[in-house]
Amino acid sequence: MEKRATMHEVAELAGVSQATVSLVLNGVPNARVSKATRRRVQEAAEQLGYRRGKAHPVPADRQRVIGLFIDEVSTTPFAAQFIEGARDEAALQDVTVATFCTGNSPALEKAGLDMLVAQKAIGAIYTTLMTREVIVPQSFSALPLVLLNCYEKRLHHPSAVPGDIVGGYAATEALIKAGHIRIAHLAGEHQTAEAAVDREKGFRQAMAKAGIEVDESLVTLGGYSIRAGRERALALLSRPDRPSAIFCFNDRMAIGCYEAARILGLSIPADLSIVGFDNEDISASMDPPLSTMVLPHDEMARWAVGQLLDGFNDLDADERMQKLKIECEYVERNSIAPPKA
């Protein structure tokens, strides 16, 4: 799927709020925005290639509303990325996104659905913060439905998830291309995070493709936090045969690796190369900035909205009931260098 510029990116470039960008680009009448500000927003949008999407037909008996159901909201930025991506794509068609944070409560889910059904909404998007298999409650059959960041064992609804295996492969490949052979992997929690399993698969596939044998003592399981990254990196980097590079399950563990390296007097990337995953905001501000993988949450949410808006067309059933894996983009920064001779 082609990556589009977001309202957030336009706002950053123009130096205004997302609300101002929305007012200008959606042509809201009587909006109190100066001509100079309008011009900045329009120039930023043009520079970034921000554009309206294709027209989607919505039947006359449907209200221009889509429901976005999220199982939980946490301190990670992921929920905001889903909400913003869905909202931006829907706004291009003058469609509103109503967000319901349900905490997996059947009662809250039903209340939200009842409201949408009463309003004759276009459909609903069922979202989980962690990529996982789900059993969709029967009540969701009342509206057209798309799954976001989750999927069913037997496909009944279209779904979109990140391509974590390919992402893990790309992250590891970046270290291999820099010349590293002794590469450690700080894996996530296999029991609770499907992404951890897939990213490790990608790591192992990249190593196998390069003909590099994985040293199992350099693969450690069961973490996701800064503390876990620091503790496990300290253990690995204190060895006489320490790794020259580390691929971390996420950026938070990479931050822990940075801390461990500083404690031991190691320089990044001269003594140790590190690559993370998730592209959290802090990753670009680290010293040095962290090379990482971007989770395609914005693109996934846009795709989900597009599926619902296209759902009234005569799409082939096999085309509708697909499980789409969207590629994670590699962001090269300054945390990787060739290993010391």
Side-chain angles (χ1 to χ4, degrees), residues 180-185 215 217-218 232-246 257 260-273 338-341:
H180 294 278
I181 296 176
R182 192 159 179 75
I183 302 173
H185 177 44
D215 183 339
S217 70
L218 299 182
R232 288 199 270 163
L234 277 171
L236 289 172
L237 298 175
S238 297
R239 295 168 45 157
D241 58 345
R242 69 170 188 258
S244 64
I246 301 177
C257 285
R262 300 273 158 73
I263 291 171
L264 297 174
L266 300 176
S267 174
I268 301 169
D271 299 314
L272 177 69
S273 289
K340 285 186 172 180

Side-chain angles (χ1 to χ4, degrees), residues 7 71 121 163 180 189 233 297-298 302:
M7 280 192 183
D71 59 349
H180 294 278
E189 297 181 337
H297 286 165
D298 179 86
R302 287 175 179 269

Side-chain angles (χ1 to χ4, degrees), residues 19 41-43 84 97 132-133 145 147 152-153 159-160 166-167 173 202 208 218 259 266 281-282 296 330 332:
V41 170
Q42 290 164 350
E43 289 174 351
E84 290 175 4
V97 173
R132 61 185 175 88
E133 181 182 318
L145 183 68
L147 308 186
E152 302 160 295
K153 188 172 185 178
S159 62
V166 177
E173 185 180 46
L218 299 182
E259 293 179 356
L266 300 176
D281 288 345
I282 193 174
Y330 172 61
E332 182 178 3

Side-chain angles (χ1 to χ4, degrees), residues 5-341:
T6 66
M7 280 192 183
H8 176 71
E9 291 168 336
V10 174
E12 280 193 337
L13 183 58
V16 299
S17 68
Q18 288 187 59
T20 299
V21 172
S22 180
L23 290 173
V24 173
L25 297 184
N26 289 314
V28 176
N30 303 319
R32 295 183 178 180
V33 181
S34 69
K35 289 183 178 179
T37 299
R38 284 181 183 276
R39 188 167 28 299
R40 285 210 315 277
V41 170
Q42 290 164 350
E43 289 174 351
E46 184 176 351
Q47 182 177 333
L48 292 173
Y50 185 93
R51 63 192 185 280
R52 294 187 68 85
K54 67 178 182 179
H56 296 271
V58 177
D61 64 341
R62 294 280 177 169
Q63 296 296 318
R64 288 186 170 269
V65 178
I66 288 174
L68 177 66
F69 291 79
I70 302 181
D71 59 349
E72 60 179 305
V73 177
S74 73
T75 55
T76 69
F78 304 150
Q81 292 170 4
F82 290 136
I83 294 169
E84 290 175 4
R87 182 197 61 193
D88 284 358
E89 187 67 19
L92 297 177
Q93 314 299 331
D94 300 320
V95 171
T96 299
V97 173
T99 303
F100 303 89
C101 300
T102 65
N104 280 323
S105 164
L108 293 178
E109 289 176 348
K110 185 177 185 305
L113 276 169
D114 288 346
M115 183 187 304
L116 293 171
V117 171
Q119 291 180 349
K120 295 185 177 179
I122 294 169
I125 301 173
Y126 189 84
T127 311
T128 59
L129 208 58
M130 300 290 289
T131 306
R132 61 185 175 88
E133 181 182 318
V134 295
I135 298 175
V136 179
Q138 183 62 33
S139 56
F140 277 91
S141 62
L143 285 173
L145 183 68
V146 175
L147 308 186
L148 179 56
N149 205 41
C150 56
Y151 61 94
E152 302 160 295
K153 188 172 185 178
R154 294 185 62 184
L155 299 181
H156 299 290
H157 306 93
S159 62
V161 296
D164 279 306
I165 295 178
V166 177
Y169 184 101
T172 308
E173 185 180 46
L175 296 172
I176 294 171
K177 284 183 175 179
H180 294 278
I181 296 176
R182 192 159 179 75
I183 302 173
H185 177 44
L186 302 192
E189 297 181 337
H190 281 196
Q191 296 87 348
T192 58
E194 190 169 306
V197 176
D198 285 350
R199 292 174 194 179
E200 184 181 334
K201 286 180 181 177
F203 162 75
R204 292 182 179 277
Q205 287 178 7
M207 295 287 277
K209 180 69 179 297
I212 303 172
E213 184 176 353
V214 174
D215 183 339
E216 296 299 337
S217 70
L218 299 182
V219 179
T220 63
L221 304 176
Y224 61 89
S225 65
I226 294 175
R227 179 177 179 178
R230 179 176 63 248
E231 291 176 348
R232 288 199 270 163
L234 277 171
L236 289 172
L237 298 175
S238 297
R239 295 168 45 157
D241 58 345
R242 69 170 188 258
S244 64
I246 301 177
F247 163 39
C248 299
F249 164 68
N250 62 12
D251 291 344
R252 298 188 177 199
M253 295 183 77
I255 294 173
C257 285
Y258 271 54
E259 293 179 356
R262 300 273 158 73
I263 291 171
L264 297 174
L266 300 176
S267 174
I268 301 169
D271 299 314
L272 177 69
S273 289
I274 299 175
V275 62
F277 213 112
D278 294 350
N279 194 38
E280 292 205 37
D281 288 345
I282 193 174
S283 63
S285 302
M286 293 166 65
D287 183 21
L290 176 67
S291 296
T292 186
M293 304 298 300
V294 179
L295 281 170
H297 286 165
D298 179 86
E299 292 97 319
M300 289 161 58
R302 287 175 179 269
W303 177 87
V305 169
Q307 286 289 298
L308 282 178
L309 294 174
D310 286 336
F312 295 101
N313 295 338
D314 294 327
L315 296 179
D316 180 83
D318 290 337
E319 183 181 354
R320 288 200 306 270
M321 304 311 166
Q322 62 176 307
K323 177 184 176 185
L324 180 68
K325 291 191 175 183
I326 298 181
E327 184 177 348
C328 303
E329 179 186 359
Y330 172 61
V331 178
E332 182 178 3
R333 296 196 177 108
N334 304 112
S335 62
I336 298 176
K340 285 186 172 180

